[in-house]
């Protein structure tokens, strides 16, 4: 990439001590060039979204705006401050262990092939050991804004940042200045509940019937109830399967398209009835707890509706920025190059804005690039080229939620492109910390992970005894050998045909 300017970055703030923030911190430390790295974490522990609590967040119905204030914690009876996450009992990763691991830390012990949320939380705790000394726990970031005086170096202007923080649950505020800021606070804080016709009035008539997956914790409360699940992403599929063990059958599943998280042809369970999108929540005069779907089918007597419709991109502490990285509808983060650098001022970076990707690996890839760019070992293209990159992505994917989608093979290409970019770094540093690279095996697993997960889940309780992909019938080496034999046979056949002409 052509240089668009050099940076004078010495002091860096990272917002969030989840997997993304921790991975970025490790790559920044590996550069041995930055004088100060502070990680601000509003919780008292690391892990971010992987922190489980029974407490839930009240979700407004509908919720279509990302413009919410900084979240206030909930105080438990024992005085502990809780920031509820969408984590729920029984959740297992939807990514095989081999793809989920950080490059510098294998899972220890005997984790499940698809680790439980408890196993992932423990793993992230172990991963934090190398950077724990950098973390300011129980510290919320309230505001991040550029300083009035730009930071000049070699004719280029990169404005520094003023970061205001508050000790969680108190009024104790502090302000610090940094040369650069990494936003690693995730995008699972503001639930998305679409404004479907009649929803608000329906919710007033039947309070508590409509919820969002962000508030789901266990299937027990749905026992014997007539339930509608809206959405078929990872949470919709998994929560639906949990609720189906106790609710009245069939479970009603409202969806728009085939799920990314299921292999083709899957999803025809006998306990589930697929229905199109909800067209309207009907008033009591048109039926008791009634919903009309897009095909004009009406269901009555609905006891529970769970929206598994994802989250909005919300950055409340960046509200002063102009232009804003936050779109009015919250469907994506804008003015970003490579889903990473804030184009108007690339001393602000966002980690893991992408979805339908492998998050831990993506965080390492992006953290490695951030560290090398801010240390002037690799360079960003010009402002115009970065704007063009974003415009081209919008032209292909649209300006909404699909903009950050990284369906395979896009994520594999992105990871390896980041790796190749980072290899251009000069001068080399001692014990260079390289980002991930996906070879044939990783790509093969990634391409098949939906089928692998289905095969795993289909084993029921016995799945927890499965320790390898091979036990599920997914043998990369065997597949590779058969592919090579098939190629050799095809070449031989082609050669014979050519010789007989």
């Amino acid at each position: 990439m052509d240089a668009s300017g050099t940076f004078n970055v010495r002091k860096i703030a990272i917002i969030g001590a989840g997997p993304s923030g921790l991975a970025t911190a490790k790559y920044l430390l590996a550069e041995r060039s930055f004088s100060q790295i502070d990680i601000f974490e509003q919780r008292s522990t690391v892990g971010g979204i992987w922190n489980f609590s029974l407490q839930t967040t009240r979700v407004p119905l509908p919720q279509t705006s990302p413009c919410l204030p900084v979240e206030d914690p909930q105080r438990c009876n024992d005085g502990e401050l809780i920031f509820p996450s969408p984590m729920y009992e029984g959740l297992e990763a939807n990514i095989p262990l081999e793809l989920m691991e950080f490059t510098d830390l294998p899972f220890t012990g005997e984790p499940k092939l698809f680790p439980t949320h408890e196993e992932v939380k423990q793993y992230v705790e172990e991963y934090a050991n190398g950077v724990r000394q950098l973390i300011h726990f129980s510290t919320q970031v309230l505001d991040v804004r550029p300083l009035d005086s730009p930071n000049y170096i070699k004719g280029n202007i990169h404005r520094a940042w003023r970061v205001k923080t508050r000790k969680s649950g108190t009024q104790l505020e502090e302000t610090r200045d940094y040369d650069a800021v990494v936003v690693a606070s995730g995008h699972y804080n503001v639930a998305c509940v679409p404004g479907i016709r009649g929803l608000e009035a329906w919710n007033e008539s039947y309070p508590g019937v409509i919820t969002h997956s962000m508030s789901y914790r266990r299937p027990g409360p749905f026992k014997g109830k007539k339930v509608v699940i809206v959405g078929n992403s990872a949470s919709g599929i998994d929560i639906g399967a949990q609720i189906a063990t106790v609710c009245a059958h069939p479970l009603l599943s409202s969806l728009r398209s085939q799920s990314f998280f299921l292999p083709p042809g899957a999803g025809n369970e006998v306990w589930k009835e697929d229905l199109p999108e909800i067209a309207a929540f009907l008033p009591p005069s048109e039926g008791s707890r009634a919903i009309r779907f897009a095909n004009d089918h009406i269901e009555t007597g609905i006891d529970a509706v769970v929206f598994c419709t994802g989250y909005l991109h919300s950055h409340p502490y960046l509200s002063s920025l102009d232009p804003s990285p936050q779109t009015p509808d919250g469907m994506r983060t804008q003015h970003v190059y490579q889903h990473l650098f804030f184009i108007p001022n690339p001393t602000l970076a966002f980690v893991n804005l992408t979805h339908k990707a492998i998050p831990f690996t993506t965080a390492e890839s992006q953290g490695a690039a951030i560290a090398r760019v801010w240390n002037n070992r690799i360079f960003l293209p010009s402002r115009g080229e970065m704007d063009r990159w974003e415009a081209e992505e919008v032209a292909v994917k649209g300006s909404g939620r699909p903009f950050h989608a990284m369906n395979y093979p896009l994520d594999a290409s992105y990871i390896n492109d980041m790796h190749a970019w980072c290899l251009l770094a000069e001068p080399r540093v001692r014990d260079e910390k390289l980002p991930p690279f996906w070879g044939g095996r990783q790509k093969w697993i990634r391409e098949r992970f939906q089928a692998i997960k289905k095969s795993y889940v289909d084993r029921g309780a016995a799945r927890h005894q499965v320790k390898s992909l091979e036990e599920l019938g997914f043998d990369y080496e065997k597949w590779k050998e058969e592919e090579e034999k098939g190629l050799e046979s095809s070449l031989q056949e082609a050669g014979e045909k050519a010789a007989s002409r």
Side-chain angles (χ1 to χ4, degrees):
M1 294 187 177
D2 297 325
S4 64
T6 51
F7 294 87
N8 187 23
V9 172
R10 292 294 175 264
K11 297 167 61 179
I12 301 169
I14 300 175
I15 305 172
S20 298
L22 299 174
T24 303
K26 288 197 172 188
Y27 279 93
L28 290 169
L29 276 179
E31 292 293 300
R32 296 184 177 88
S33 291
F34 307 112
S35 62
Q36 183 177 343
I37 302 170
D38 291 329
I39 307 173
F40 296 109
E41 171 52 53
Q42 63 183 5
R43 295 182 173 89
S44 59
T45 62
V46 301
I49 194 176
W50 294 98
N51 282 281
F52 171 79
S53 69
L54 289 174
Q55 287 76 15
T56 63
T57 299
R58 189 185 72 83
V59 177
L61 300 170
Q63 184 159 273
T64 58
S65 171
C67 300
L68 299 184
V70 174
E71 181 182 8
D72 288 325
Q74 298 182 20
R75 191 177 295 276
C76 300
N77 292 335
D78 61 1
E80 182 184 5
L81 297 178
I82 297 293
F83 292 89
S85 82
M87 199 59 51
Y88 51 88
E89 289 184 357
L91 182 142
E92 298 172 342
N94 54 27
I95 301 166
L97 183 75
E98 189 172 334
L99 290 188
M100 194 170 192
E101 291 178 330
F102 289 108
T103 55
D104 58 351
L105 182 69
F107 273 83
T108 56
E110 295 186 358
K112 313 293 187 296
L113 184 62
F114 289 84
T116 64
H117 70 81
E118 296 93 342
E119 289 172 327
V120 177
K121 175 61 165 65
Q122 180 58 41
Y123 176 69
V124 177
E125 288 276 2
E126 294 175 19
Y127 185 72
N129 288 337
V131 295
R132 197 177 295 272
Q133 72 279 8
L134 307 176
I135 304 173
H136 299 257
F137 287 108
S138 301
T139 304
Q140 286 183 279
V141 173
L142 303 179
D143 185 67
V144 177
R145 63 182 59 217
L147 291 173
D148 291 335
S149 56
N151 182 2
Y152 290 90
I153 178 171
K154 296 183 181 179
N156 294 286
I157 301 175
H158 298 296
R159 298 177 74 182
W161 301 90
R162 178 151 291 166
V163 178
K164 181 192 288 187
T165 62
R166 178 177 64 203
K167 204 67 177 172
S168 298
T170 75
Q171 297 301 314
L172 299 176
E173 296 183 0
E174 190 172 348
T175 299
R176 302 173 176 89
D177 293 344
Y178 294 92
D179 302 310
V181 175
V182 177
V183 175
S185 52
H187 47 89
Y188 298 99
N189 300 311
V190 178
C192 174
V193 180
I196 299 172
R197 187 162 69 87
L199 183 149
E200 196 166 356
W202 206 86
N203 184 55
E204 291 177 1
S205 298
Y206 314 114
V209 174
I210 301 174
T211 59
H212 186 275
S213 59
M214 187 176 190
S215 303
Y216 174 81
R217 291 296 180 267
R218 51 168 70 112
F222 299 90
K223 186 174 182 179
K225 293 184 176 181
K226 184 174 183 177
V227 180
V228 177
I229 298 290
V230 183
N232 64 341
S233 63
S235 62
I237 293 168
D238 195 38
I239 290 173
Q242 283 197 8
I243 290 176
T245 63
V246 298
C247 74
H249 287 181
L251 173 78
L252 303 177
S253 176
S254 170
L255 45 89
R256 287 188 298 182
S257 59
Q258 168 70 29
S259 175
F260 163 77
F261 293 94
L262 286 175
N268 298 318
E269 293 84 357
V270 296
W271 45 261
K272 180 166 70 75
E273 180 181 351
D274 288 341
L275 292 167
E277 294 177 81
I278 295 176
F281 287 85
L282 302 179
S285 60
E286 297 185 40
S288 176
R289 302 195 305 279
I291 294 175
R292 179 162 53 81
F293 295 86
N295 60 355
D296 288 331
H297 174 74
I298 295 176
E299 287 283 347
T300 61
I302 301 297
D303 298 308
V305 180
V306 183
F307 276 90
C308 301
T309 43
Y311 297 83
L312 303 175
H313 287 250
S314 179
H315 310 292
Y317 41 77
L318 299 177
S319 60
S320 69
L321 297 193
D322 184 18
S324 173
Q326 185 171 288
T327 58
D329 61 4
M331 288 293 111
R332 74 174 180 103
T333 297
Q334 62 183 350
H335 306 302
V336 286
Y337 174 67
Q338 292 290 344
H339 309 280
L340 184 54
F341 292 99
F342 186 52
I343 296 171
N345 187 352
T347 52
L348 175 66
F350 299 84
V351 181
N352 255 328
L353 294 174
T354 57
H355 58 97
K356 297 182 180 177
I358 309 299
F360 291 12
T361 307
T362 301
E364 286 194 280
S365 299
Q366 294 179 329
I370 290 169
R372 286 160 171 79
V373 166
W374 287 349
N375 197 22
N376 300 308
R377 296 204 299 129
I378 57 176
F379 301 95
L380 294 172
S382 68
R383 169 71 184 264
E385 289 176 274
M386 291 192 286
D387 284 332
R388 278 193 294 276
W389 178 89
E390 183 178 35
E392 289 169 0
E393 288 290 294
V394 169
V396 173
K397 295 181 175 180
S399 60
R401 186 173 289 173
F403 177 84
H404 293 302
M406 283 285 185
N407 311 55
Y408 181 84
L410 294 179
D411 57 347
S413 297
Y414 184 84
I415 288 164
N416 286 354
D417 286 347
M418 284 286 165
H419 179 91
W421 185 22
C422 289
L423 287 184
L424 299 175
E426 291 291 346
R428 307 289 285 181
V429 300
R430 179 165 52 90
D431 299 325
E432 188 91 22
K433 185 172 175 60
L434 296 176
F437 177 83
W438 274 8
R441 179 177 175 85
Q442 288 82 7
K443 293 178 182 178
W444 184 85
I445 295 172
R446 175 65 179 85
E447 186 177 13
R448 292 160 177 77
F449 93 89
Q450 298 103 320
I452 294 170
K453 182 65 184 282
K454 183 178 186 305
S455 178
Y456 181 77
V457 171
D458 285 348
R459 296 208 173 193
R463 70 186 183 277
H464 295 142
Q465 308 306 315
V466 177
K467 300 300 180 184
S468 70
L469 297 175
E470 288 75 17
E471 291 179 58
L472 295 175
F474 294 88
D475 189 324
Y476 172 71
E477 293 300 329
K478 183 177 179 181
W479 171 87
K480 184 179 177 182
E481 183 180 336
E482 290 174 351
E483 286 290 298
E484 290 173 350
K485 286 181 179 178
L487 178 60
E488 183 179 334
S489 177
S490 296
L491 291 174
Q492 182 178 347
E493 183 178 342
E496 291 173 353
K497 286 182 178 179
S500 63
R501 288 174 184 165

